[in-house]
């Protein structure tokens, strides 16, 4: 049994979607980051960076924060959604790390400046929106002639998809990125994605382009 501490955000959804895909039993605990619950001392014991999500695997007593580490841990635990060796494994890790260093932090800044603080910092809005569009273009090019980012559907797709699901907040027109749109729609149809998207509470329908 796994305890998942999470909220209805892209980083939180990476792990709830992965748990659904892996078919691992888990209990979701809501950490409402709008109320500052990520700073509660008990949460900080397992997530010292005061950010969701985090897990505690009761089978192994391993507590983990950081979605990249959590996804690799769960893929290794189950032997699913990441090749076990060789170049195919490194391709998945490559695109997982791309998400962790690119779309995660950069689109997060787009949300901060463009969605929540429009007009306060025009340079930052322009800078992060330009970077966001650049990353969509990189993803679109990668998905040209490929169904998924790295071989079969993997933890790399699961890491990227919830960030693209915020395309409306980002004011990014997904239709300009047809390969991203096709990939996004394919993944959105997966039952595990539809279930994991609504953890720890119903957040309305998945946005569709
Ligand atoms: N690199 C971290 C990022 C986690 C993160 O930024 N989580 C956000 C929600 S999507 C959060 O908890 N924010 C709370 C805060 O900023 O205080 C990961 O991948 O787990």
């Amino acid at each position: 049994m796994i305890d998942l501490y999470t909220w209805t955000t892209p980083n939180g959804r990476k792990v709830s979607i992965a748990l659904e895909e892996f078919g691992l039993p888990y209990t979701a605990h809501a950490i409402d980051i709008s109320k500052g619950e990520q700073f509660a001392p008990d949460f900080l014991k397992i997530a010292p960076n005061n950010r969701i999500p985090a897990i505690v695997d009761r089978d192994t007593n391993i507590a983990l924060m950081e979605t990249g580490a959590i996804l690799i841990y769960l893929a290794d635990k189950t032997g699913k959604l990441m090749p076990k060796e060789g170049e195919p494994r490194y391709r998945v890790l490559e695109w997982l790390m791309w998400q962790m260093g690119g779309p995660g932090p950069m689109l997060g800044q787009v949300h901060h400046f463009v969605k929540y603080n429009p007009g306060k910092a025009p340079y930052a809005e322009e800078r992060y929106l330009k970077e966001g569009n650049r990353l969509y273009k990189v993803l679109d090019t990668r998905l040209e002639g490929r169904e998924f980012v790295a071989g079969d559907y993997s933890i790399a797709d699961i890491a990227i998809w919830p960030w693209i699901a915020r395309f409306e907040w980002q004011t990014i027109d997904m239709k300009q990125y047809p390969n991203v749109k096709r990939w996004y729609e394919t993944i959105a149809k997966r039952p595990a994605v539809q279930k994991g998207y609504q953890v720890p509470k119903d957040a309305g329908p998945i946005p569709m382009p």
Side-chain angles (χ1 to χ4, degrees):
M1 177 60 86
I2 289 175
D3 283 307
L4 166 64
Y5 299 84
T6 194
W7 194 238
T8 48
T9 71
N11 285 314
R13 286 182 177 130
K14 290 183 208 172
V15 177
S16 47
I17 288 170
L19 285 164
E20 294 291 342
E21 294 281 10
F22 288 127
L24 285 169
Y26 69 101
T27 304
H29 305 272
I31 302 289
D32 186 343
I33 61 172
S34 69
K35 292 192 182 138
E37 292 176 3
Q38 68 273 36
F39 297 101
D42 277 353
F43 181 66
L44 291 178
K45 281 185 202 151
I46 56 166
N49 194 39
N50 62 261
R51 298 209 154 185
I52 64 95
I55 62 162
V56 180
D57 184 343
R58 301 291 167 194
D59 298 339
T60 57
N61 264 334
I62 291 179
L64 281 175
M65 62 172 189
E66 285 295 325
T67 51
I70 295 169
L71 291 173
I72 294 168
Y73 174 80
L74 295 175
D76 282 345
K77 181 182 170 82
T78 56
K80 293 182 190 166
L81 296 179
M82 178 169 65
K84 292 191 184 60
E85 57 191 11
E87 185 179 348
R89 179 179 175 91
Y90 296 115
R91 286 289 156 236
V92 169
L93 292 173
E94 177 182 56
W95 286 92
L96 176 64
M97 297 303 152
W98 177 78
Q99 187 288 315
M100 295 299 294
M106 294 301 125
L107 295 176
Q109 296 302 321
V110 174
H111 298 170
H112 182 83
F113 288 106
V114 175
K115 161 118 179 120
Y116 285 114
N117 294 285
K120 284 192 193 157
Y123 176 77
E125 282 182 56
E126 188 193 324
R127 150 110 186 118
Y128 290 116
L129 204 46
K130 193 170 163 205
E131 178 64 1
N133 274 288
R134 187 190 69 78
L135 289 162
Y136 269 68
K137 179 72 190 151
V138 170
L139 182 59
D140 199 61
T141 303
R142 176 67 187 173
L143 288 168
E144 182 85 53
R146 276 191 184 86
E147 193 172 10
F148 299 109
V149 290
D152 293 338
Y153 178 65
S154 73
I155 55 171
D157 299 286
I158 292 173
I160 301 165
W161 186 89
W163 283 96
I164 304 303
R166 286 265 159 98
F167 66 95
E168 289 169 329
W169 286 24
Q170 294 150 11
T171 67
I172 288 180
D173 179 8
M174 209 193 292
K175 294 192 181 73
Q176 286 182 26
Y177 305 99
N179 300 308
V180 173
K181 181 172 174 291
R182 183 249 314 144
W183 165 90
Y184 177 81
E185 289 170 342
T186 300
I187 294 175
K189 289 189 194 123
R190 296 179 69 89
V193 172
Q194 294 177 1
K195 213 165 160 209
Y197 186 87
Q198 308 295 356
V199 174
K201 61 176 186 141
D202 194 321
I206 293 176
M208 295 309 288

